[in-house]
Amino acid sequence: MLGRPVVFVDGARTPFGRARPDGLYAHTRADDLAVAVVRELLRRHPELPPERVGEVAIAATSQVGDQGLTLGRTVALLAGLPRTVPGYAIDRMCAGAMTAVTQVASAIAVGAIDAALAGGVEHMGRHPLGKDADPNPRFVAERLVDADALVMGATAENLHDRFPALTRERADAFGVASQTRYADALASGRIEPDLVPVALRDPERGWGLATADEPPRPGTTLEGVAGLATPFRAGGRVTAATSSPLTDGATAGLVAAESVARELGLPARMRLVSYAYAGVDPEVMGVGPVPATHRALELAGLDIARIGAFEINEAFAVQVLAFLDAFGIADDDPRVNPDGGAIAVGHPLAASGVRLMVQLARRFEADPSIRYGLTTMCVGLGQGGTVIWENPHHADYVSAEEDAR
């Protein structure tokens, strides 16, 4: 990456809740979820003077109601940051938080700011994807995009059509594996450290505390999912077991120039190597991570064999399988999502990008033999995004300061 090296200092997320009337956050505001994670990062890092935060970038796909009003700025004010700290909102649908991180990282790299908070929030229980949206009729009338492009599940079915090797049986197996891996990670204590407890108030049940993810379905088996319906197409292949559930939640990450992190005594959990976004046909948006990854690898001067850890957002199992096939990676490769993914934990759209980063950072710390990892995801309306990271704990890692000497 040109300019100053940028590091991922820390990240956090709320427990994820099911987006439904009786879900975990049914009576909690979206902006309050974002405030909770920002406050937690500030609490964890008192060595960061709040006035050194140069920007707060918060993403949301549906920027209405309690997810509107320039989220970055409103969250900064609500979190108690100095009024001199600016902020803004971002929308790149599922890659919102990922875009927030890469945007502020670019500003840090060129020296415009020294540190930033970036993340995303989605309260899909209050603001379902596409609610109150008014897509231009020209999209379909002039055949600019296929009508399926506006229905994410339909785009997943299209991937099955386009790549016959991506069978329902493979997708079912991947979906079950995601649940199993998440359950193992939870039992091993690898999930809870990332979570920020959130106070809840229910008009009927009173006060409570959200401390655990709500969407996972432990004990899921291949036999149990074999007969599930295919809601996006009669006789199709995409089911609830191979799709990420509708989810409420928020994430935030603290990003800084490597030299500033060292000056302030902030940890460097990952260093940003390169990133890229790419467009694809909207009706098969799930292949978006493939060209984005090719471009990010090219910018980094790496090939896929150098990547020792993959965190791939599981919008749909078939989308992950398409990525794996494109790069010759086995469905059960241990480098891929070993702690499960969005099929199990949920996918609060614009928040998910930082969840991937937090999980990758944890893997870097646990295994210093991994030098490079990537976070990648598909994006609605035909896009993909990929960020490549380097592990500061690797024996060959050289800081910018050491490199200068």
Side-chain angles (χ1 to χ4, degrees), residues 284-345:
V284 285
M285 63 96 185
V287 297
V290 175
T293 298
H294 279 300
R295 178 59 175 158
L297 288 168
E298 178 186 3
L299 291 170
L302 300 172
D303 60 50
I304 199 70
R306 299 286 304 279
I307 304 301
F310 297 82
E311 287 293 334
I312 307 172
N313 192 47
E314 299 170 0
F316 299 94
V318 67
Q319 159 253 314
V320 181
L321 295 174
F323 179 93
L324 299 182
D325 281 5
F327 289 100
I329 300 170
D331 295 5
D332 60 352
D333 191 304
R335 296 174 297 168
V336 178
N337 296 7
D339 291 345
I343 289 173
V345 74

Side-chain angles (χ1 to χ4, degrees), residues 228-311:
L228 290 178
T230 57
F232 302 107
R233 181 190 298 174
R237 289 139 296 189
V238 179
T239 72
T242 58
S243 309
S244 56
L246 302 178
T247 314
D248 303 332
T251 63
L254 174 57
V255 187
E258 187 177 41
S259 59
V260 172
R262 186 176 300 105
E263 170 201 338
L264 297 176
L266 293 165
R269 298 181 69 189
M270 304 191 292
R271 180 164 69 182
L272 197 156
V273 177
S274 69
Y275 69 87
Y277 298 92
V280 297
D281 291 339
E283 60 269 24
V284 285
M285 63 96 185
V287 297
V290 175
T293 298
H294 279 300
R295 178 59 175 158
L297 288 168
E298 178 186 3
L299 291 170
L302 300 172
D303 60 50
I304 199 70
R306 299 286 304 279
I307 304 301
F310 297 82
E311 287 293 334

Side-chain angles (χ1 to χ4, degrees), residues 88-291:
Y88 60 101
I90 286 175
D91 174 16
R92 201 199 293 263
M93 298 185 78
C94 303
M98 177 178 282
T99 302
V101 169
T102 56
Q103 285 286 100
V104 299
S106 296
I108 291 168
V110 301
I113 57 177
D114 286 337
L117 291 156
V121 62
E122 209 75 56
H123 199 308
M124 299 183 75
R126 291 188 179 183
H127 312 296
L129 178 63
K131 182 184 179 183
D132 297 328
D134 182 19
N136 195 302
R138 291 180 53 228
F139 280 125
V140 175
E142 298 180 17
R143 299 185 180 181
L144 300 176
V145 300
D146 190 279
D148 284 350
L150 303 178
V151 182
M152 298 301 102
T155 70
E157 288 284 7
N158 290 343
L159 276 183
H160 279 291
D161 293 342
R162 180 170 292 194
F163 303 106
L166 303 179
T167 63
R168 172 167 175 172
E169 290 73 23
R170 285 179 66 189
D172 281 354
F174 189 89
V176 171
S178 181
Q179 298 284 355
T180 301
R181 291 167 184 161
Y182 174 86
D184 290 346
L186 184 66
S188 300
R190 297 195 300 273
I191 301 298
E192 189 174 1
D194 301 337
L195 305 183
V196 179
V198 177
L200 307 172
R201 184 182 181 281
D202 187 301
E204 297 179 358
R205 291 176 285 187
W207 289 95
L209 192 66
T211 60
D213 295 313
E214 191 177 26
R217 297 183 180 278
T220 300
T221 65
L222 278 172
E223 294 76 17
V225 305
L228 290 178
T230 57
F232 302 107
R233 181 190 298 174
R237 289 139 296 189
V238 179
T239 72
T242 58
S243 309
S244 56
L246 302 178
T247 314
D248 303 332
T251 63
L254 174 57
V255 187
E258 187 177 41
S259 59
V260 172
R262 186 176 300 105
E263 170 201 338
L264 297 176
L266 293 165
R269 298 181 69 189
M270 304 191 292
R271 180 164 69 182
L272 197 156
V273 177
S274 69
Y275 69 87
Y277 298 92
V280 297
D281 291 339
E283 60 269 24
V284 285
M285 63 96 185
V287 297
V290 175

Side-chain angles (χ1 to χ4, degrees), residues 344-362:
V345 74
H347 175 27
L349 299 183
S352 288
V354 167
R355 178 189 66 79
L356 300 175
M357 296 171 193
V358 171
Q359 291 196 187
L360 181 62
R362 180 176 0 96

